[in-house]
Amino acid sequence: MYVDLAYAGPYAHTDAYAFSPEHGSVEHIVSPRDGFWFGELEGAADVYFFRKGKWSFVHAVD
């Protein structure tokens, strides 16, 4: 497992499979602020950003 800095900017759901909404997930995001990556080494990762008073994430790597 790892946590790393995610720079501000655009992020989109991975093309590896179809988007399936769940609490806090979004299909794409453009963040003006930095966030963080959370994932598994050599595996899946989500990118999290705090916006509008709550955490949102994109499953960007599979």
Side-chain angles (χ1 to χ4, degrees):
M1 303 301 284
Y2 69 89
V3 175
D4 199 4
L5 174 67
Y7 294 106
Y11 293 86
H13 181 78
T14 178
D15 290 335
Y17 55 88
F19 175 70
S20 177
E22 59 183 277
H23 183 72
S25 70
V26 294
E27 194 165 3
H28 55 83
I29 192 169
V30 178
S31 179
R33 289 181 236 138
D34 293 342
F36 67 92
W37 286 98
F38 178 76
E40 300 175 33
L41 294 176
E42 299 183 25
D46 296 330
V47 61
Y48 287 80
F49 295 96
F50 194 72
R51 62 186 200 142
K52 299 180 182 176
K54 63 181 181 175
W55 287 100
S56 296
F57 71 94
V58 174
H59 187 73
V61 177
D62 188 50

